[in-house]
Amino acid sequence: MQKPTLSFWQIWNMCFGFFGIQFGFALQNSNVSRIFQTLGADYSSMTILWVAAPLTGLFVQPIIGYMSDKTWGRLGRRRPYFLYGAILASLSLFIMPHSPTLWIAAGMLWIMDASINVSMEPARAFVGDMLPRKQRGMGYAMQSFFIGVASVVASALPWMMSNWFDISNTAEAGVIPDSVRFSFYAGGALFLLAVLWTVYSTKEYSPEELEAFEKAENEFSEQEDHQPSRSAGQFFRGGIIWGLVGLAATVLVALNIEQLDKNLMLLTCGLLVFGIFQLIAGLLEKKGNNSNGFSLVMVDLFNMPATMKKLAAVQFFSWFPFFAWWSSATPAITSFHYGTSDVTSAAFNEGADWVGILMAAYNVSAVFAAVAIPLLVRLFNLKTAHMINLFLGGTGFISFVLIKDPTYLIAPMIGVGFAWASILSLPYALLSNGVPAKKMGLFMGIFNFFIVLPQILAASILGFLVNKFFAGETIYALVIGGASMLIAGVLTLRVTEPEQEIQPQKKTEALTSH
């Protein structure tokens, strides 16, 4: 029993919910720094406030992935998570611009990002559930298309509110401008409506049908039956090493040795927590209580398929730059290109609006890239196309320090857009063909670790690096990000495409399908 090929419009409908998900995500990315600065945050505290977003994804996505793998109800397997996440995220978007203080805004960011992640992770696994192998590349490209379109509109929305509808983009100190507030209202409504369309228009396969499809493919049964586990002793040894390193580093930062940046505490505590998690997993393994979700995530984390391990390194260095961009673009561009950090000034708000246009510009580029990337894949292959796009993005970020006129910053956004579209499609096309179907949600959630961890690292060290080595010039956060993306491009060469590992004879067919 083979999984049926879906029509263009069926794929359109199943991916349309991502338009709403990304609309909310783009509003968050392009405006939260502005909200934080308006409520009194400086750059040093900005990165630590921003870490709410990746931290929620770190915990929420694998949990939701595991739960959705096991779910079946009236709404299906993944769709309940689309819907409930959309409801919570929409409410958060309505509330966020009314935050009276900085810490309330930070708390709302945690809630909003957690809600977006509840919708987003099952949406990734949904493509793997619904599409045969030969159409998964198209499915993820369609998601990239909607991500690009939604991000264009959402990122430019405050500028459009101000310039098209004459809604004020300035306000008194400590008050969010009306242009931002109305943009968040629109985002909340569109988020929910788009997800409702996918929930309404797309019917999921039943567990029995999915099991039959998997048996028919029968490509991973041997891998799953003989998948190595991890002993209690291995967990204990790893937990002790990671825990001691994290504890020692935390003490050094707490004692202010060498005047270390306080944000580094986030990284050192993360090492300590990872050690503790391994110790807990070891205790559960020793007691034979290893069938719970926590143990399964920990075991699969250490036993990822080979392709996934190599992709994880690429993702790590690919996402560091985008966290640098989202958290630093507003303070970097307003300071370096507009010459001000005064949030009440016309120049600052003009610069902040222009950041929204730049966000829209790289997403416009991503829309065209979503169409061009399949052509690149046909000319080369998946990993080479991805490498080219990462090089374009890395060069674009580095050029920000070389371009003085903010008008010309549109140009490097083209390369950044190609990198963004590629990051959101090609790794997932590779991954979905390289992991067991019955664990699609769980492995997608674990893969998210390597999106989240570089963002946590960036939140921990960007402020320190900028202040220590670049005299507080925030623009160099983007240069550091660009260098990281070039490294990601080089690491792409290590990746072996799943088709090459499993079915060499189908390589030509697989590449053509993308």
Side-chain angles (χ1 to χ4, degrees), residues 51 54-55 58 263 266-267 270 323 451-461:
V51 82
L55 270 180
L58 182 66
N263 288 351
L266 180 66
L267 178 61
F323 185 88
I451 294 172
V452 170
L453 291 174
Q455 296 182 64
I456 294 174
L457 179 65
S460 302
I461 68 171

Side-chain angles (χ1 to χ4, degrees), residues 474-496:
T474 318
I475 195 70
Y476 286 97
L478 304 184
V479 176
I480 294 168
S484 175
M485 188 164 283
L486 295 179
I487 293 171
V490 173
L491 289 176
T492 305
L493 295 173
R494 299 173 59 247
V495 176
T496 303

Side-chain angles (χ1 to χ4, degrees), residues 45-303:
S45 60
M46 190 85 73
T47 52
I48 202 72
L49 290 167
W50 256 98
V51 82
L55 270 180
T56 52
L58 182 66
F59 293 103
V60 170
Q61 289 216 16
I63 292 171
I64 295 299
Y66 172 78
M67 290 173 62
S68 65
D69 282 342
K70 307 293 183 183
T71 294
W72 183 257
R74 187 168 59 88
L75 284 176
R77 187 186 193 192
R78 313 291 184 189
R79 289 183 298 166
Y81 298 93
F82 300 167
L83 180 59
Y84 302 144
I87 292 170
L88 291 173
S90 296
L91 291 173
S92 299
L93 286 164
F94 278 99
I95 296 170
M96 179 70 173
H98 291 281
S99 301
T101 64
L102 179 60
W103 290 107
I104 290 178
M108 286 307 306
L109 176 59
W110 281 79
I111 296 169
M112 182 165 58
D113 200 79
S115 304
I116 292 173
N117 274 290
V118 169
S119 287
M120 183 179 291
E121 196 287 329
R124 293 290 190 197
F126 196 42
V127 172
D129 289 346
M130 300 299 296
L131 294 177
R133 282 175 171 272
K134 65 182 181 179
Q135 286 194 303
R136 286 176 186 169
M138 180 180 178
Y140 288 115
M142 184 75 77
Q143 283 191 349
S144 291
F145 173 80
F146 283 123
I147 287 169
V149 173
S151 297
V152 170
V153 180
S155 298
L157 200 53
W159 182 90
M160 290 189 286
M161 290 285 182
S162 175
N163 289 272
W164 294 358
F165 303 105
D166 201 28
I167 296 173
S168 176
N169 73 336
T170 59
E172 60 187 76
V175 177
I176 311 302
D178 286 345
S179 59
V180 176
R181 288 196 300 109
F182 283 102
S183 297
F184 272 68
Y185 299 159
L190 287 171
F191 194 133
L192 185 58
L193 290 172
V195 169
L196 282 171
W197 178 257
T198 288
V199 170
Y200 171 77
S201 64
T202 306
K203 180 183 177 182
E204 294 188 69
Y205 296 120
S206 69
E208 294 76 20
E209 288 174 312
L210 288 172
E211 185 177 357
F213 294 143
E214 187 174 0
K215 285 181 178 178
E217 289 181 352
N218 198 30
E219 294 175 337
F220 292 101
S221 57
E222 183 177 351
Q223 176 185 332
E224 291 176 4
D225 292 342
H226 297 91
Q227 184 178 4
S229 184
R230 188 168 176 85
S231 69
Q234 288 174 307
F235 275 125
F236 286 139
R237 285 192 294 274
I240 291 170
I241 293 170
W242 284 87
L244 288 176
V245 171
L247 180 61
T250 300
V251 170
L252 290 176
V253 176
L255 294 176
N256 202 26
I257 303 298
E258 298 292 331
Q259 297 183 331
L260 295 172
D261 192 288
K262 64 182 181 180
N263 288 351
L264 292 173
M265 188 77 75
L266 180 66
L267 178 61
T268 62
C269 288
L271 299 177
L272 177 58
V273 169
F274 185 52
I276 292 171
F277 280 3
Q278 290 185 71
L279 292 175
I280 294 171
L283 288 171
L284 292 171
E285 183 71 29
K286 188 174 182 180
K287 293 179 179 180
N289 185 16
N290 54 6
S291 60
N292 59 82
F294 176 81
S295 293
L296 290 173
V297 170
M298 292 299 293
V299 169
D300 284 335
L301 175 62
F302 284 97
N303 293 289

